[in-house]
Amino acid sequence: MAMLAMMPAHIPATQVASGATRFSTIRSQQQQEAVLDHHPKTKTSNRANSLAESLSHLLHLHIDTPPKTKSPHHLSNWNMFTEEEHSTPTTSPKEVMSEKWREIHGSKDWEGLMDPLHPWLRREIVKYGEFAQATYDAFDFDSFSEFCGSCRYNKNKLFDVLGLSKNGYAVSKYIYAMSHIDMPNWLERSHLVGTWSKDSNWMGFVAVSDDEETRRIGRRDIAVAWRGTVAPSEWYEDMQRKLEPIGDLDAKVEHGFLGIYKSKSDETRYNKSSASEQVMKEVTRLVEFYKSKGEEVSLTITGHSLGGALALLNGYEAAKAIPGLHISVISFGAPRVGNNAFRDELNQMGVKTLRVVVKQDVVPKMPGLVLNEGLQKFEEITGTLEWVYTHVGAELRVDVSSSPYLKKHGFNFLGFHSLETYLHLVDGYLNKETTFRSNARRDIALVNKACDMLVEDLRIPHCWYQMEHKGLVCNHHGRWVKPRREPEDIPSPTREVEAQAHALQVEMQSDHVLKSLCTANI
C-alpha cells in the first residue's frame, strides 16, 4: 500500500561543550524514561501468526517479540495525553552543524555518538529516512492505473507535495530500474495493456542541498534515496541467494540486488541505461559542478529494505568512480548484500555505513541466516569464506519494546519492518539502557499509515493512509471515474532530459553572472 508523506522530525537543540569530548552529551532531562506503557487487548491475525511460524520454522530462526508489560495506572488517561500531544509542534529549530558534519556522518565511525544518541545525529538519520519514505509516499501502487510503478508527481513538486521542502533540498533527477530476473513484488506491474512502461519502475531520486542548507550543514550535500519493498514477505523464499562478482577483486554481492541495479535494455523507454548508470551520471555531474565552484561536496545515500541494499551498491560504485568524495550510507531494515571481501573493499575506500535495525525485524537477518559474519570466529579453521554474507558498517539497534505507543505482543511482520516504525523508534531512542525519550515529538500517528502497530487506546486507525475515494473522482456527469494525471506529472523521458538540460543552463548562466559581478567589483 502506498504511504503518506511523513511529518518533520524533532530533535532538541544542544550546545557543543568544550573539554575531553567533542560533542555535548544528552542532558539528563532528555534521558528520562517515558513510562507510558499500556497494552490493550488486540486480535492478532491468524494469517500473520501462521506466516511468522512458517518463516521461523523455515529459517530455523528465533523471532524476537516484545515482552508484555503492565501499564502504569497513573498514566491510564490517554485522552488527556493525546490532547497534549496534538497541541505541541513536531519540529524544533535546526542546529548549525557546519563544523561537525564529518563526525556526524561517520568520519570516526560514530564513536561516542550512538550511546547516547546525539540529537544532531538523530535529526540527520530521520531526515534521510524521510527521503527514503518519500519514495513510498509518491509511488503509484495502483495495479489498475496506467501509471502503476511510476512516481505520482514530477520532480519539481515532489518535496512540496510531501511536505519535505523544509529540509532545504531540491530533486535533480529521478531514477528508474528494471530487472531481467523474475522477482515477485520487487517491481510493481499494471494490469492494463496500455501503460507508461511495461518494464521499468520509479526507484528513487537524486537531490541536492540548497544554498541555505549548505551553509548550515557545512558542505553541498548530494542525497540519493532508493525505494524498497513495502511487503517483503513474498520475496524471502524467492531471493536468489547467489553471490555474483562485483569489481576486479574478490568482492561478491547478491545476484538479485545487482540485477536490479545494473539491468538495462534498448527496447525500454526508461532503462536504456541502468539505474546504476543513471545515478552515477547525475552524481558525477553534480560533484564536478559544485567542486568547480570551490565547494566541499558530500554524497549521502539512503534506502529502506531493498532500497538499503541498492544504497550500498551505489556507495560502492561511487567510491570507485569518485575517489576522495565523502560518502556515507544510512540504511533502514536492509538485508545483507555481499561477502567479506565486499565489506572490506567498502571499508578500505572509506565508505561510512550506518545501519538502523529494529530488533524484531527479520529482514536484516537475510540472506545468510547461517552463513554470515558470525562464522568469522572460525576463520582459523575454515580460512576466509568468499561465499559468506556479511553486514557492513556500524549498527544502531532499536527495540519495539522501548516505545510505550507500540503493541507489545504478537508478531507483526509488516509492522516490524515498516520504515515508519523505524523512524518512530529512532526519534524516541536515547541509549541502550533507557526506554523511549519523553520529549520525542515526531507525529505518532505516522506509524499506522500502512500497518497496525499503535496501541488501540491511541485510537489511530490501522493502514489509515489511502488516496481519497481510493483515487476515484466524480465527474461532471455524476459518475465515479479514474482521474487523468496532470500533464506535467506524466512520466516522460524526453521531458526529463530537457528539464535537466534547462536547469543546468540556468545554473551555468547564474554562475557566469556572479563571476562577472565579482570581477567588476575588483
Side-chain angles (χ1 to χ4, degrees):
M1 175 178 290
M3 299 183 181
L4 183 68
M6 61 184 123
M7 300 295 291
H10 167 75
I11 307 298
T14 60
Q15 296 180 348
V16 179
S18 59
T21 58
R22 301 193 64 182
F23 288 94
S24 60
T25 55
I26 312 298
R27 293 181 178 179
S28 58
Q29 63 264 33
Q30 293 176 316
Q31 298 183 12
Q32 297 175 353
E33 291 187 14
V35 290
L36 305 171
D37 216 345
H38 186 78
H39 299 283
K41 294 181 181 179
T42 57
K43 294 182 180 180
T44 305
S45 166
N46 291 331
R47 183 177 180 183
N49 281 336
S50 62
L51 172 61
E53 184 177 355
S54 61
L55 276 173
S56 182
H57 288 312
L58 174 67
L59 307 175
H60 305 289
L61 177 68
H62 171 68
I63 304 298
D64 293 312
T65 54
K68 295 183 180 181
T69 57
K70 295 181 179 180
S71 60
H73 298 290
H74 66 289
L75 288 173
S76 58
N77 192 339
W78 286 82
N79 290 337
M80 292 179 59
F81 168 74
T82 53
E83 288 176 7
E84 181 180 350
E85 279 290 293
H86 293 164
S87 63
T88 58
T90 58
T91 59
S92 64
K94 296 180 180 180
E95 304 87 349
V96 176
M97 51 176 281
S98 56
E99 296 182 2
K100 305 294 183 182
W101 74 267
R102 288 185 177 275
E103 289 92 330
I104 293 294
H105 277 254
S107 64
K108 296 185 177 180
D109 298 316
W110 295 281
E111 182 178 353
L113 297 180
M114 293 200 294
D115 192 18
L117 182 62
H118 195 281
W120 295 5
L121 177 56
R122 182 189 294 113
R123 180 188 287 279
E124 288 293 281
I125 293 173
V126 172
K127 177 179 77 174
Y128 292 107
E130 291 184 343
F131 287 162
Q133 181 67 43
T135 64
Y136 295 128
D137 296 339
F139 190 75
D140 191 340
F141 288 94
D142 184 2
S143 60
F144 293 101
S145 166
E146 61 185 300
F147 302 112
C148 179
S150 70
C151 180
R152 291 187 284 122
Y153 316 108
N154 71 71
K155 67 182 180 68
N156 296 319
K157 71 179 187 181
L158 176 69
F159 282 177
D160 288 335
V161 173
L162 300 185
L164 295 179
S165 297
K166 62 188 177 298
N167 287 321
Y169 285 71
V171 177
S172 67
K173 184 173 178 60
Y174 279 170
I175 307 167
Y176 297 91
M178 63 176 293
S179 178
H180 295 302
I181 305 168
D182 184 19
M183 294 180 179
N185 289 337
W186 280 21
L187 299 180
E188 300 291 331
R189 309 295 187 196
S190 173
H191 293 321
L192 306 181
V193 176
T195 65
W196 73 286
S197 175
K198 283 292 186 182
D199 307 286
S200 302
N201 266 200
W202 178 63
M203 213 64 192
F205 58 83
V206 181
V208 62
S209 59
D210 61 23
D211 292 344
E212 182 180 354
E213 181 69 1
T214 295
R215 287 190 292 271
R216 185 187 77 84
I217 61 180
R219 84 283 184 195
R220 186 74 63 173
D221 185 42
I222 301 167
V224 180
W226 292 92
R227 186 175 62 82
T229 46
V230 177
S233 58
E234 291 87 354
W235 56 262
Y236 289 139
E237 294 182 32
D238 297 289
M239 188 181 288
Q240 297 294 302
R241 299 188 184 91
K242 174 185 175 184
L243 283 166
E244 182 174 329
I246 184 173
D248 301 322
L249 301 176
D250 297 324
K252 296 180 180 179
V253 296
E254 205 278 328
H255 177 60
F257 300 152
L258 189 62
I260 287 183
Y261 188 65
K262 290 287 190 180
S263 291
K264 62 180 179 178
S265 172
D266 289 334
E267 298 178 359
T268 66
R269 294 183 65 199
Y270 288 86
N271 279 114
K272 295 184 186 301
S273 58
S274 66
S276 161
E277 292 168 340
Q278 295 168 44
V279 70
M280 286 308 305
K281 181 179 179 180
E282 180 67 2
V283 167
T284 301
R285 180 187 74 83
L286 291 171
V287 169
E288 291 177 350
F289 176 76
Y290 288 109
K291 281 193 171 183
S292 70
K293 298 172 66 175
E295 297 188 26
E296 191 166 17
V297 182
S298 69
L299 174 62
T300 309
I301 313 170
T302 188
H304 166 252
S305 191
L306 168 65
L310 298 176
L312 206 55
L313 293 174
N314 190 182
Y316 176 88
E317 186 175 27
K320 287 273 192 183
I322 316 174
L325 178 65
H326 188 287
I327 302 171
S328 54
V329 176
I330 300 177
S331 67
F332 303 83
R336 295 183 181 94
V337 176
N339 63 357
N340 292 340
F342 178 67
R343 175 203 60 196
D344 293 342
E345 275 200 63
L346 281 166
N347 292 337
Q348 290 166 9
M349 292 187 294
V351 177
K352 301 300 180 180
T353 304
L354 177 59
R355 296 181 296 104
V356 184
V357 173
V358 168
K359 178 183 178 182
Q360 290 78 14
D361 188 6
V362 178
V363 177
K365 300 176 174 67
M366 309 287 288
L369 291 167
V370 178
L371 304 177
N372 56 50
E373 60 270 10
L375 293 179
Q376 283 185 317
K377 64 185 72 174
F378 303 111
E379 278 191 356
E380 291 184 2
I381 301 173
T382 63
T384 302
L385 302 175
E386 296 183 1
W387 37 266
V388 171
Y389 284 96
T390 184
H391 272 306
V392 177
E395 178 182 276
L396 176 63
R397 180 173 289 261
V398 291
D399 191 338
V400 168
S401 64
S402 69
S403 172
Y405 312 108
L406 302 183
K407 294 177 179 177
K408 303 294 192 298
H409 59 278
F411 180 75
N412 190 328
F413 190 79
L414 295 179
F416 292 162
H417 187 57
S418 168
L419 180 51
E420 287 291 4
T421 300
Y422 271 77
L423 296 177
H424 168 73
L425 291 172
V426 169
D427 186 46
Y429 183 82
L430 283 174
N431 56 48
K432 294 177 181 178
E433 304 301 325
T434 60
T435 55
F436 209 80
R437 67 187 182 110
S438 59
N439 56 351
R441 290 188 182 180
R442 195 166 187 278
D443 193 352
I444 299 166
L446 295 172
V447 174
N448 261 19
K449 285 197 306 188
C451 65
D452 184 15
M453 280 293 290
L454 293 175
V455 294
E456 290 185 355
D457 282 341
L458 288 173
R459 298 184 296 180
I460 305 297
H462 67 275
C463 301
W464 57 262
Y465 171 72
Q466 55 180 301
M467 297 180 67
E468 187 177 11
H469 305 304
K470 295 191 175 181
L472 295 182
V473 296
C474 187
N475 66 16
H476 65 280
H477 296 296
R479 298 185 182 276
W480 290 92
V481 296
K482 286 274 187 183
R484 293 181 180 274
R485 271 200 188 181
E486 294 295 330
E488 65 268 20
D489 293 331
I490 296 176
S492 170
T494 304
R495 187 188 302 122
E496 290 187 14
V497 171
E498 291 175 349
Q500 187 174 347
H502 175 69
L504 179 60
Q505 184 178 10
V506 170
E507 285 181 345
M508 294 177 68
Q509 289 176 347
S510 176
D511 191 43
H512 177 71
V513 170
L514 288 174
K515 287 181 178 179
S516 299
L517 290 173
C518 291
T519 303
N521 290 332
I522 293 175

